[in-house]
Amino acid sequence: MKDRCLFYRFVRGSTALWLKGWLKLESHGSENVPVSGGCVLASNHASYLDPPIVACGLKHRVVRFMARDTLFAGRFRNWFFHGIRCVPLDRTRGDVAALRKGIQILKEGEALGLFPEGTRSLDGQLKPAKGGIGFLVAKAGVPVVPIYVGGSFDAFPKGAKRVRRGKVFVYYGQPIAIEEIARLGDGKDSYQAIGDLIMSKIALLREKALNTPR
């Protein structure tokens, strides 16, 4: 575990240097992320750049992401993705296995990066949350940090072949408390309400980010 975290920090540091040099990465509000304990980092998703941006904007937490198991094919890639603490997900087993694994990671006190929209936005705009994140958050009983990543769609949208030079930024919002989430209940309708709450917080961060002069 210790060696893997050291490798994670090395990769994060190297990637952060590239993001700051090529894309002028700015990070705001990272102090809002709890220093310990299980928490969900919930971000909008418009580009493959979003996971490294979310991870590189933080220095005090290792962020784990779930990734499709095909990315782990081959000895080097298997070593690399495990080294940066990614969790292989067998999509043939459906969402249930992913949700169970996510809940386990959170109950073990780790930070789990998730994208409530479920997939990358085709136009860069925010999309409604899928119900799965509400279920996971309700069952895990951990705070949720809403996150807005801006500029990644312009730099590397879906279908692009290269990363265009530009500017990206990430805003970490105030955590949504466990009590606020619990008040929404625990049922199918509640799960969607939790997802909607998270996306509403992300939308507020988006408004703040877009109204900040650069």
Side-chain angles (χ1 to χ4, degrees), residues 116 127-131 133-134 176 184 189-203:
K127 304 301 179 185
K130 301 293 185 182
I133 188 171
I176 306 172
L184 296 175
D189 292 339
S190 300
Y191 302 150
Q192 188 59 54
I194 293 171
D196 293 342
L197 171 64
I198 294 170
M199 289 307 300
S200 72
K201 300 290 186 180
I202 294 174

Side-chain angles (χ1 to χ4, degrees), residues 16 20 37 44 49 58 60-61 75 83 91 109 118 122 125 127 137 175 190 193 205 207 213:
K20 290 176 181 178
N44 62 306
L49 292 172
L58 290 173
H60 62 281
R61 291 301 298 263
R75 181 177 299 178
R91 288 187 173 180
L122 294 177
Q125 300 302 308
K127 304 301 179 185
V137 168
S190 300
L205 287 173
E207 183 177 354

Side-chain angles (χ1 to χ4, degrees), residues 4 14 33 46 59-60 134 146 175 191:
R4 286 183 175 180
S14 301
V33 179
K59 294 182 180 179
H60 62 281
Y191 302 150

